[in-house]
């Protein structure tokens, strides 16, 4: 079963935030460490957002909130053209009532 996750990323170089919706086939994603959850997002970014550009992630801090099923992280996206600091939150997409 796949899960739909939402990643909200605030960049230090922009005046807005971006929202990315992606899916993972890992049904036990919330049993993983924060870095493994971030890795699922990083794979999506590498394949779908910047497919023609080398991108890597450097994570300086991360934690997972078990109760709300979310991960928060701070770090940098690393490109050949430079580094962009960010704050990232990943959570499950809420199903409308």
């Amino acid at each position: 079963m796949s899960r739909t996750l939402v990643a909200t990323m605030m960049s230090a170089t922009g005046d807005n935030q971006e929202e990315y919706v992606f899916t993972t086939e890992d049904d036990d994603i919330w049993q993983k460490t924060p870095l493994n959850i971030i890795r699922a997002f990083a794979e999506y970014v590498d394949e779908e957002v910047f497919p023609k550009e080398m991108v890597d992630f450097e994570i300086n801090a991360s934690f997972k909130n078990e109760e709300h099923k979310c991960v928060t992280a701070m770090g940098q996206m690393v490109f050949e053209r430079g580094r962009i600091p960010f704050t990232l939150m990943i959570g499950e997409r809420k199903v409308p009532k």
Side-chain angles (χ1 to χ4, degrees):
M1 178 175 139
S2 66
R3 291 188 180 269
T4 300
L5 304 179
V6 178
T8 303
M9 180 178 275
M10 297 180 343
S11 166
T13 61
D15 56 355
N16 61 352
Q17 66 186 30
E18 298 290 331
E19 186 174 281
Y20 303 93
V21 178
F22 66 103
T23 59
T24 177
E25 298 302 319
D26 188 347
D27 195 39
D28 294 325
I29 191 74
W30 295 112
Q31 304 306 313
K32 308 293 185 197
T33 66
L35 288 177
N36 282 328
I37 296 168
I38 294 165
R39 186 171 290 125
F41 172 66
E43 289 172 5
Y44 163 78
V45 168
D46 188 44
E47 295 170 6
E48 301 295 329
V49 181
F50 298 107
K52 296 180 180 178
E53 189 172 7
M54 189 287 297
V55 62
D56 199 0
F57 284 77
E58 183 178 282
I59 304 300
N60 302 113
S62 67
F63 66 92
K64 180 172 66 171
N65 181 296
E66 300 282 345
E67 179 184 354
H68 295 285
K69 292 186 178 176
C70 74
V71 167
T72 304
M74 293 180 296
Q76 300 182 77
M77 289 180 70
V78 181
F79 297 93
E80 290 179 8
R81 58 187 154 101
R83 296 169 179 260
I84 301 174
F86 67 82
T87 300
L88 172 68
M89 293 185 73
I90 301 172
E92 282 200 28
R93 176 141 229 149
K94 296 290 184 202
V95 177
K97 292 182 179 183

